[in-house]
C-alpha cells in the first residue's frame, strides 16, 4: 500500500470511529432519559467517550465537555422533578451546583448498593466525537442565562492566560495528578506580557488573566468579550467556548499536543486557530519571533501593531 492510500484509509477509519462514538453518546442520552421516566433520582457516573480521550471531570476541560455539556442536555430534556446524583469530584463540584443546584445532588460517597444502579454518563469531548456548532451554542446560551451574563456587542479584549500553581487538591486527592504550572509553563511570562501589551492596537484592551483565581462567571465574562486569546496548551483554553465567532485562538503547544483538542474546538466554534509548537512543556518564548510570525496572518494584523 502506498503512503497516499494509507493516509486515506487512516482518515476514513478516524471518521468512522468518531461517528461510532457519536452514536454511542446519543444512545447513552436516550437510555438516561428513559430511566428518568421510572425514577426521580438518576445516579450518574461520568466517563470519557473513549479510552483514547482519557481524563477525568475533576479537571476543567473534562468538566466542561464530559460532564457539563452532556448533563445540560439531559436537564433540558427531562422533567424538572428529576434529580441527577453524582459523587463529589473535587474542587469543581461547587461550579456544577452553582449552575444546576435544583437538578443536581452531590454525595461524598455513594453506597455499594446504589453504585450498582449508576448509569454511565458518556462525555462529549469534541476531539473524540463529531459535534455541531449548535450543541455548544446552546450550552453557551444556557450557562450565560443561568449566570446572568450578557454578550458583548463589540468584543475588545485581548487575553493572555497566565498559568499558576494549581490547587493542592490536584497533588493530594485527584485521580489524575497535576495541573497548571506543574505540567506546563512560560518561563518568561512577565516579559511576554509586557511585550504583547505594548503591541495591542487601540481600541483593543490587553488583559493578563489568571484563571485559577477567577469564578466561572468572571471567566465567561472575560472570554465572551474577547476577540483574541493567547495561551499555552491547557484547560484554560476550554474557555474559547464562550468567545464570539471569528475570534482568534493562538495556542503555544508542546510537541505531543500538535493534534490538539483546541484546534478541533476552534473549528467547531468558527474561530481562527494558530498553533506555535515547542519542544518542551516549560518554554522560553521568543516574543519577537512570535510577533513577527503573527503579523503574517491578515486576521491578526487588525489587533497588533507592527
Amino acid at each position: 500500500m502506498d503512503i497516499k492510500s494509507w493516509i486515506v484509509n487512516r482518515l476514513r477509519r478516524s471518521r468512522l470511529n468518531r461517528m461510532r462514538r457519536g452514536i454511542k453518546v446519543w444512545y447513552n442520552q436516550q437510555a438516561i432519559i428513559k430511566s428518568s421516566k421510572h425514577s426521580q433520582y438518576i445516579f450518574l457516573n461520568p466517563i470519557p467517550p473513549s479510552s483514547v480521550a482519557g481524563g477525568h471531570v475533576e479537571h476543567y476541560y473534562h468538566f466542561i465537555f464530559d460532564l457539563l455539556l452532556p448533563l445540560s442536555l439531559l436537564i433540558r430534556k427531562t422533567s424538572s422533578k428529576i434529580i441527577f446524583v453524582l459523587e463529589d469530584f473535587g474542587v469543581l463540584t461547587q461550579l456544577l451546583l452553582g449552575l444546576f443546584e435544583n437538578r443536581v445532588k452531590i454525595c461524598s460517597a455513594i453506597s455499594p448498593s446504589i453504585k450498582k444502579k449508576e448509569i454511565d454518563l458518556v462525555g462529549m469531548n469534541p476531539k473524540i466525537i463529531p459535534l455541531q456548532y449548535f450543541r455548544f451554542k446552546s450550552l453557551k446560551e444556557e450557562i450565560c442565562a443561568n449566570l446572568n451574563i450578557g454578550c458583548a456587542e463589540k468584543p475588545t479584549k485581548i487575553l493572555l492566560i497566565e498559568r499558576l500553581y494549581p490547587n493542592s487538591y490536584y497533588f493530594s486527592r485527584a485521580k489524575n495528578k497535576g495541573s497548571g504550572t506543574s505540567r506546563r509553563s512560560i518561563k518568561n511570562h512577565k516579559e511576554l506580557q509586557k511585550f504583547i501589551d505594548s503591541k495591542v492596537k487601540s481600541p483593543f484592551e490587553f488583559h493578563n488573566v489568571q484563571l485559577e483565581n477567577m469564578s466561572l462567571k468572571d471567566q465567561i465574562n472575560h472570554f465572551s468579550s474577547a476577540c483574541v486569546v493567547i495561551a499555552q496548551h491547557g484547560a484554560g483554553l476550554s474557555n474559547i467556548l464562550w468567545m464570539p465567532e471569528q475570534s482568534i485562538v493562538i495556542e503555544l503547544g508542546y510537541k505531543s499536543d500538535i493534534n490538539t483538542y483546541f484546534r478541533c474546538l476552534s473549528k467547531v466554534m468558527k474561530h481562527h486557530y494558530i498553533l506555535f509548537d515547542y519542544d518542551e512543556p516549560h518554554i522560553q518564548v521568543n516574543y519577537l519571533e512570535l510577533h513577527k510570525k503573527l503579523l503574517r496572518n491578515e486576521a491578526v494584523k487588525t489587533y497588533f501593531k507592527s
Side-chain angles (χ1 to χ4, degrees):
M1 181 184 294
D2 60 36
I3 187 66
K4 183 177 179 180
S5 299
W6 181 85
I7 292 172
V8 169
N9 287 334
R10 182 75 179 266
L11 288 172
R12 284 174 178 167
R13 285 198 299 271
S14 177
R15 290 192 192 102
L16 184 60
N17 285 336
R18 283 169 60 83
M19 288 177 62
R20 286 171 176 163
R21 292 164 188 154
I23 292 169
K24 177 183 176 182
V25 168
W26 185 85
Y27 275 113
N28 176 247
Q29 290 269 316
Q30 295 307 306
I32 296 172
I33 290 169
K34 184 177 180 180
S35 296
S36 72
K37 300 183 189 301
H38 307 290
S39 176
Q40 181 185 3
Y41 292 93
I42 307 295
F43 297 86
L44 297 177
N45 174 41
I47 62 170
S50 162
S51 58
V52 177
H56 191 274
V57 296
E58 64 193 351
H59 291 274
Y60 189 70
Y61 178 91
H62 297 283
F63 167 75
I64 295 290
F65 299 111
D66 287 340
L67 177 54
L68 193 57
L69 179 55
L71 182 59
S72 68
L73 292 176
L74 290 172
I75 286 174
R76 287 201 296 270
K77 293 178 180 178
T78 54
S79 165
S80 59
K81 296 180 181 179
I82 300 300
I83 305 297
F84 294 99
V85 184
L86 299 99
E87 280 192 279
D88 187 295
F89 52 91
V91 295
L92 300 179
T93 303
Q94 291 302 315
L95 289 187
L96 188 69
L97 290 175
L99 293 169
F100 303 118
E101 61 180 345
N102 296 324
R103 299 294 307 276
V104 173
K105 180 178 173 65
I106 301 295
C107 294
S108 56
I110 296 178
S111 68
S113 59
I114 296 299
K115 200 82 173 169
K116 294 178 181 178
K117 300 179 182 179
E118 271 189 328
I119 303 175
D120 286 343
L121 174 65
V122 180
M124 302 175 75
N125 188 331
K127 172 67 169 58
I128 303 300
I129 65 170
L131 288 173
Q132 295 176 306
Y133 173 69
F134 78 91
R135 293 288 188 203
F136 297 105
K137 185 179 180 183
S138 297
L139 174 66
K140 179 178 176 179
E141 290 173 349
E142 181 176 9
I143 299 304
C144 288
N146 285 355
L147 296 176
N148 195 28
I149 297 172
C151 294
E153 290 186 12
K154 281 191 173 183
T156 58
K157 290 181 180 178
I158 294 176
L159 307 181
L160 173 65
I161 298 178
E162 180 176 3
R163 298 168 68 87
L164 300 181
Y165 197 73
N167 187 295
S168 60
Y169 168 85
Y170 291 105
F171 296 103
S172 58
R173 290 174 288 146
K175 295 181 185 297
N176 292 351
K177 300 290 192 293
S179 184
T181 56
S182 69
R183 290 183 174 176
R184 301 174 192 86
S185 66
I186 298 174
K187 297 176 183 177
N188 60 333
H189 184 95
K190 294 302 180 186
E191 291 86 351
L192 177 63
Q193 172 185 339
K194 184 177 180 180
F195 180 79
I196 293 175
D197 190 14
S198 71
K199 292 297 180 181
V200 171
K201 286 183 180 179
S202 178
F204 303 104
E205 310 163 5
F206 175 77
H207 294 261
N208 184 74
V209 292
Q210 300 173 331
L211 303 181
E212 288 88 347
N213 293 332
M214 286 187 190
S215 66
L216 179 61
K217 183 173 182 177
D218 286 342
Q219 291 185 53
I220 296 175
N221 263 324
H222 266 296
F223 280 83
S224 63
S225 56
C227 46
V228 179
V229 62
I230 304 170
Q232 223 179 352
H233 179 90
L237 274 171
S238 306
N239 287 307
I240 65 176
L241 172 66
W242 319 117
M243 295 174 75
E245 293 177 30
Q246 304 303 314
S247 296
I248 293 177
V249 177
I250 301 166
E251 179 177 4
L252 310 179
Y254 176 40
K255 59 183 179 182
S256 62
D257 304 320
I258 290 176
N259 192 12
T260 178
Y261 290 78
F262 303 109
R263 186 196 302 274
C264 296
L265 181 57
S266 294
K267 183 176 180 180
V268 177
M269 296 307 298
K270 305 178 183 179
H271 298 324
H272 299 286
Y273 175 84
I274 302 169
L275 173 67
F276 291 92
D277 191 34
Y278 291 84
D279 292 329
E280 57 182 342
H282 301 282
I283 61 176
Q284 185 89 10
V285 176
N286 184 331
Y287 44 82
L288 293 174
E289 186 65 22
L290 176 70
H291 177 247
K292 182 179 177 181
K293 290 180 178 179
L294 282 176
L295 290 181
R296 293 174 189 166
N297 187 300
E298 289 299 321
V300 174
K301 288 182 179 179
T302 302
Y303 307 102
F304 296 104
K305 303 171 189 173
S306 59

